[in-house]
Amino acid sequence: MNSREFLDAPPNEVPVRGYLHLPTHPGGDCLILTHGAGANCNAPLLVALADAFCASGITVLRCDLPFRQSRPHGPPPRGSAERDQQGLRAAVASMRRQGTGRIFLGGHSYGGRQASMLAAAESGLVEKLLLLSYPLHPPQRPSELRTGHFLDLKTPALFVHGVRDGFASTDEMTAALKLIPARTELFSIATAGHELLTKKNHDDLPKKVVQAFRSFAYNEVA
């Protein structure tokens, strides 16, 4: 198991930049993971999950969204969502050129939201979604729901949710997922908030997420 820097920048396409984790015994499938609004692809959660998924035989690309490639710090500027989704589409195309297995797409918070919006707009682009701490609404503003695309989401999705997350309660997430016509599952982390990864669960959380996603994606029995 190892990782290396990855760059794919074909002419006239959004560049794909990040790190590729290659399993010792690859199973052929690939997971693309991206980060939240205030982070980059080196976020501890993404690194820990990439290592854990790679150990299970899945190739992982953790990549920087275009807004982060353009600015090293700060949140995405207004109007960047479309280009960030183009970046994820480019990452999917890049990984399809790398192999013939299934492509899974996911991300933390803002990155997961962009992944789900892209999948809703382009059904069949990827096989499954892994959405970590989906930001259902801004903290303390529960009426501003980010579910406008849920009715169009036809890609099966596993949502990983910290029960202390200020961006959504468990009840709110459960209700929102009923809007999605595709198969969904909510995997709750009892002791976590929006960040998901903590000092206490650092060793166990990645393994549990991998187990939950493999069960969801491959119908494996835990």
Side-chain angles (χ1 to χ4, degrees):
M1 182 177 66
N2 58 78
S3 65
R4 59 175 174 83
E5 289 191 47
F6 182 85
L7 176 64
D8 189 8
N12 303 317
E13 290 190 22
V14 179
V16 180
R17 186 185 77 188
Y19 294 86
L20 191 64
H21 294 245
L22 298 169
T24 303
H25 303 290
D29 294 341
C30 177
L31 170 64
I32 299 166
L33 280 177
T34 194
H35 53 86
N40 59 30
C41 72
N42 288 317
L45 174 65
L46 296 195
V47 174
L49 286 175
D51 285 341
F53 273 102
C54 186
S56 80
I58 296 176
T59 297
V60 180
L61 172 67
R62 51 182 173 92
C63 58
D64 282 334
L65 290 166
F67 89 86
R68 184 54 73 224
Q69 296 182 38
S70 300
R71 55 190 300 187
H73 306 290
R78 186 179 297 275
S80 66
E82 182 177 352
R83 183 166 175 81
D84 289 336
Q85 290 171 38
Q86 291 175 356
L88 289 176
R89 186 187 300 109
V92 171
S94 181
M95 290 300 99
R96 292 226 182 267
R97 290 192 291 268
Q98 299 285 320
T100 58
R102 287 169 288 187
I103 303 292
F104 308 129
L105 179 62
H108 181 241
S109 193
Y110 174 84
R113 183 185 178 202
Q114 299 312 313
S116 68
M117 292 175 72
L118 175 63
E122 300 185 28
S123 181
L125 179 70
V126 296
E127 277 70 22
K128 301 286 191 303
L129 295 171
L130 174 61
L131 307 179
L132 309 158
S133 298
Y134 185 85
L136 190 65
H137 59 71
Q140 300 181 351
R141 285 146 62 186
S143 63
E144 299 178 24
L145 291 174
R146 295 158 172 163
T147 57
H149 62 291
F150 275 17
L151 290 173
D152 298 319
L153 186 55
K154 307 295 196 307
T155 304
L158 175 68
F159 288 74
V160 181
H161 173 70
V163 298
R164 298 176 182 175
D165 194 338
F167 286 78
S169 68
T170 300
D171 287 344
E172 288 172 330
M173 287 298 301
T174 300
L177 265 56
K178 293 178 181 178
L179 299 172
I180 300 174
R183 182 168 68 96
T184 63
E185 186 175 313
L186 184 64
F187 182 55
S188 296
I189 309 299
T191 59
H194 194 66
E195 76 291 339
L196 286 179
L197 193 69
T198 68
K199 290 181 179 180
K200 290 184 177 180
N201 70 20
H202 187 278
D203 293 333
D204 295 333
L205 178 78
K207 298 174 185 176
K208 290 180 178 178
V209 172
V210 169
Q211 186 179 65
F213 186 74
R214 290 191 68 96
S215 175
F216 180 80
Y218 300 122
N219 295 316
E220 291 182 354
V221 177

